[in-house]
Amino acid sequence: MSRLEFDAKGFYLDKKPFTIVSGTIHYFRVVPGYWEDRLKKLRACGFNTVETYTCWNLHERKEGEFDFSGMLDLAKFIRTAQELGLYVILRPGPYICAEFDFGGLPSWLLTDPKMHLRCNDPRFLQKVSNYYRRLFEEVRPYLAENGGNIIAVQVENEYG
């Protein structure tokens, strides 16, 4: 199990100094047949980590109906990175920007006129919680604490 820690001097992986050299590949923007090739090229450039957003609007196009297949098979993408010796920084939003309309939030959130987005509104937080619960069913085996290659998670993006 790898454990990423930090202090004023830098990052440490398993108590040893570690420099994160990361590049971004959005699995949902690359045909799955090319994932291995693109990740190999990332590795060949000297990167040790790949970071990727997850797109709530793609994984839950309709409320309560989740899709993690084909181009959305996040677990397969992470597993491929692991097989190639790459760590992962997972960026699940909920808001990701990433040049997506509505920042990757699902449009069905707008059907509740009383909901306030990207804040501590209980209605919004419940929807995020439902998404995260399902998302983390997919990625839990790949968390570093479970022996996987996800060493960090960035929640939210470009907030405030």
Side-chain angles (χ1 to χ4, degrees), residues 5 22-23 33 39 50 58 71 83 100 120-121 129 133 136 138 142 152:
E5 299 175 286
S22 178
L39 290 166
V50 61
L58 298 179
M71 285 184 72
E83 290 166 359
F100 262 94
N120 64 356
D121 181 332
S129 180
R133 189 174 300 111
F136 277 89
E138 295 291 318
Y142 305 102

Side-chain angles (χ1 to χ4, degrees), residues 52 54 74 78 88-92 135-136 139 150 152-154:
T52 191
T54 66
L74 176 58
I78 294 168
V88 172
I89 297 174
L90 191 66
R91 301 174 72 189
L135 174 69
F136 277 89
V139 302
I150 299 174
V153 176
Q154 176 197 333

Side-chain angles (χ1 to χ4, degrees), residues 3-160:
R3 180 177 173 95
L4 184 68
E5 299 175 286
F6 70 95
D7 64 19
K9 296 179 184 176
F11 287 102
Y12 302 87
L13 191 64
D14 300 327
K15 308 283 185 199
K16 297 175 188 157
F18 181 71
T19 300
I20 297 172
V21 184
S22 178
T24 300
I25 297 177
H26 299 152
Y27 62 97
F28 50 85
R29 289 183 164 139
V30 178
V31 177
Y34 290 143
W35 287 347
E36 183 177 351
D37 174 71
R38 298 312 186 259
L39 290 166
K40 281 181 177 177
K41 288 176 178 169
L42 187 83
R43 185 81 174 136
C45 288
F47 293 92
N48 59 20
T49 306
V50 61
E51 66 177 62
T52 191
Y53 287 125
T54 66
C55 283
W56 185 5
N57 63 334
L58 298 179
H59 287 296
E60 191 180 9
R61 291 178 194 268
K62 292 184 179 179
E63 185 173 4
E65 296 179 19
F66 294 94
D67 184 4
F68 289 91
S69 64
M71 285 184 72
L72 300 176
D73 191 345
L74 176 58
K76 182 178 179 181
F77 179 81
I78 294 168
R79 191 169 49 254
T80 303
Q82 186 174 38
E83 290 166 359
L84 297 172
L86 289 166
Y87 295 105
V88 172
I89 297 174
L90 191 66
R91 301 174 72 189
Y95 180 89
I96 63 170
C97 190
E99 291 65 54
F100 262 94
D101 287 341
F102 205 36
L105 297 173
S107 60
W108 53 259
L109 289 171
L110 297 174
T111 62
D112 181 349
K114 294 182 181 181
M115 184 181 302
H116 297 280
L117 305 174
R118 299 184 75 197
C119 67
N120 64 356
D121 181 332
R123 288 178 292 274
F124 176 66
L125 294 178
Q126 183 59 55
K127 304 302 182 189
V128 173
S129 180
N130 294 341
Y131 167 57
Y132 280 176
R133 189 174 300 111
R134 181 62 184 89
L135 174 69
F136 277 89
E137 286 176 18
E138 295 291 318
V139 302
R140 188 170 287 109
Y142 305 102
L143 296 174
E145 68 183 31
N146 296 325
N149 58 329
I150 299 174
I151 58 171
V153 176
Q154 176 197 333
V155 180
E156 234 339 305
N157 186 44
E158 299 181 14
Y159 191 75

